[in-house]
Amino acid sequence: MDHDRALFGRRDVLRASFAATLAGMTAGASRARGAEPRSAADGLIVRNRRPLDLETPVTELGSWLTPNDRFFVRSHFGPPAVGLAPWEVSFAGLLDHDRTFSLNDLHAHEVVTVPAVLQCAGNGRGFFRPTIPGVGWERGAVGHAEWSGVRLADLLKKLGVRAGAAHVHLLGADGPPSPRTPAWFRSIPLERALAPSTILATRMNGVPLPLLHGGPVRLIVPGWTGNHWVKWLRHVTVARDEAQGFYMQTGYRIPKLPVPPGAAVKPSDLVPVTTMNVKSLITTPAAGTRLARGEHEVRGIAWTGDGHVTRVEFSTDRDPAWKPAQFLDEARPGSWRRWRATWSAADRAPHTLRVRATDSNGESQPETTPWNRSGYLWNGIDAVTCEVV
Ligand SMILES: Nc1nc2c(c(=O)[nH]1)N[C@H]1C(S)=C(S)[C@@H](COP(=O)(O)O)O[C@H]1N2
Ligand SMILES: [Mo]
């Protein structure tokens, strides 16, 4: 009994110090923005405590940039110990020269700033029916930030990419909790690695990249889902083939063609999840808001993976004809565009507001996204129900 209590006591101490460490780790960025440091969650939706998975409430996604301390967090094993030794990123494989870069070495290259949407491939998983195991994200495993750092292409070109190279393997410092758990080992095709928007980011929204978001260095791959944006980047290896292992060969794959829920799909009929699909969200009014009759402004965001959003349309259950919304931001690949529409609420009743976006490839949002085993790439039309009183 006493023994148990002693053990529990110890565990609470550990938990408390873990929370304190997290608070401390995010404090730097928050203070720089003049805000109170956040506790581990602080009003974000906690989807998982360990590792910490936090979702942003959709009503907070209406700004051009998502503040760092309101940005969703996803990691498979949690942040590694950082700061015990100077950070280094090693480059090896099919290169003329191997090389290890310190942060200062990285910053000796041209630093660029790229606004880009980061979205988890599983954002919206909670909307699939039948339900799917995994983190039950709804709307907010997405955010938009300004990322600064150096182009991966500049580093690779400097080191000389050898003939036959086709993929770039990426490994972070967050080791799996047990040797039986596969490591978070990923790769991107060389072509994508050489794209000018693919960068090793060391800053997020003007401050050093917070630890929870992969500080001191992470990869950003605008247009592609979050699983490519490797955090705590340590090792870059240029290779002939894709990375092996669970997170490349089994995870993050979807059927080439839609299949009925639960259907077994041959591995050869699966393709990797890469480019985000077109999507929009209503950020205001919030679901369940009570409003007076009359004109109201509806606002939200829209983005896509390839190209840019060309059209956002708004409708309601009372007035189902789609009407164009107005954009507040220019079209910019990789970024989101805020939009607004006017809604005239005539009668006292619940009203359902709907939004759908179309992109420069002519892709538009479906009513619901075809079911896939892991619940990736949900982009069904967003709907919010409000009460007119
Ligand atoms: N090293 C490492 N990088 C990682 C992950 C991880 O578990 N380990 N998770 C990935 C996934 S699935 C997502 S959605 C994004 C989330 O980034 P964020 O926590 O900054 O929002 O990080 C990606 N990079
Ligand atoms: Mo993710």
Side-chain angles (χ1 to χ4, degrees):
M1 193 58 183
D2 280 343
H3 180 66
D4 278 359
R5 203 169 292 141
L7 272 181
F8 279 123
R10 170 82 183 131
R11 207 183 290 155
D12 284 340
V13 169
L14 280 177
R15 206 176 285 145
S17 68
F18 175 72
T21 313
L22 273 183
M25 290 181 312
T26 54
S30 305
R31 245 183 263 122
R33 297 175 43 259
E36 284 298 304
R38 78 167 170 199
S39 68
D42 202 12
L44 300 182
I45 303 161
V46 179
R47 293 284 176 205
N48 200 18
R49 290 214 170 265
R50 198 181 293 187
L52 191 62
D53 292 324
L54 302 175
E55 175 170 338
T56 310
V58 68
T59 50
E60 295 191 32
L61 291 175
S63 52
W64 168 243
L65 298 175
T66 313
N68 294 355
D69 58 355
R70 310 308 296 160
F71 208 99
F72 88 95
V73 173
R74 166 64 174 145
S75 45
H76 291 73
F77 318 124
V82 164
L84 302 178
W87 197 264
E88 289 180 335
V89 186
S90 75
F91 280 69
L94 293 174
L95 293 168
D96 293 335
H97 314 279
D98 289 358
R99 166 102 197 250
T100 296
F101 292 95
S102 68
L103 292 179
N104 281 340
D105 296 337
L106 289 179
H107 288 140
H109 301 82
E110 188 190 349
V111 173
V112 290
T113 297
V114 178
V117 172
L118 165 54
Q119 178 180 222
C120 180
N123 192 26
R125 180 179 291 125
F127 297 128
F128 282 99
R129 294 293 177 272
T131 56
I132 292 164
V135 184
W137 305 112
E138 292 189 350
R139 296 176 171 81
V142 63
H144 185 229
E146 247 173 23
W147 312 91
S148 311
V150 297
R151 293 185 198 95
L152 179 54
D154 291 352
L155 305 173
L156 292 175
K157 283 179 191 157
K158 177 175 201 164
L159 301 178
V161 176
R162 296 220 306 254
H167 296 270
V168 176
H169 297 190
L170 305 149
L171 187 62
D174 51 334
S178 114
R180 282 187 304 272
T181 311
W184 180 255
F185 185 37
R186 298 278 317 167
S187 65
I188 58 173
L190 181 64
E191 194 192 6
R192 196 65 185 76
L194 294 177
S197 64
T198 302
I199 68 179
L200 270 60
T202 53
R203 296 175 82 78
M204 178 178 181
N205 290 328
V207 297
L209 189 63
L211 180 75
L212 284 174
H213 297 293
V217 188
R218 84 177 303 169
L219 192 72
I220 77 144
V221 190
W224 283 26
T225 48
N227 46 306
H228 303 91
W229 297 44
V230 176
K231 304 200 271 190
W232 311 295
L233 185 63
R234 275 286 203 203
H235 300 289
V236 177
T237 312
V238 180
R240 212 170 277 278
D241 300 308
E242 267 182 359
Q244 292 303 305
F246 177 81
Y247 288 108
M248 260 334 264
Q249 300 303 328
T250 305
Y252 299 107
R253 290 189 177 247
I254 46 169
K256 267 186 241 170
L257 300 170
V259 297
V265 184
K266 278 190 297 190
S268 58
D269 290 335
L270 295 171
V271 288
V273 171
T274 54
T275 310
M276 295 188 291
N277 49 14
V278 63
K279 188 161 176 177
S280 60
L281 293 171
I282 295 171
T283 58
T284 189
T289 306
R290 292 157 69 86
L291 301 136
R293 284 188 300 167
E295 288 216 330
H296 295 284
E297 182 170 70
V298 182
R299 282 188 181 240
I301 48 173
W303 69 94
T304 190
D306 183 31
H308 61 272
V309 171
T310 50
R311 190 167 63 200
V312 170
E313 295 160 294
F314 167 76
S315 75
T316 72
D317 51 351
R318 307 284 157 136
D319 186 4
W322 292 102
K323 293 188 190 62
Q326 291 97 50
F327 288 113
L328 303 184
D329 304 302
E330 295 302 306
R332 182 174 177 141
S335 280
W336 69 31
R337 298 182 85 176
R338 291 169 298 170
W339 56 266
R340 62 170 301 285
T342 305
W343 164 43
S344 312
D347 37 342
R348 293 194 168 93
H351 292 252
T352 299
L353 318 178
R354 293 173 18 108
V355 63
R356 87 176 171 196
T358 302
D359 69 16
S360 49
N361 294 312
E363 298 290 336
S364 190
Q365 290 180 254
E367 286 289 335
T368 58
T369 302
W371 189 93
N372 62 85
R373 188 178 52 128
S374 306
Y376 295 133
L377 294 177
W378 173 268
N379 72 337
I381 289 173
D382 195 33
V384 162
T385 300
C386 302
E387 181 103 21
V388 175
V389 292

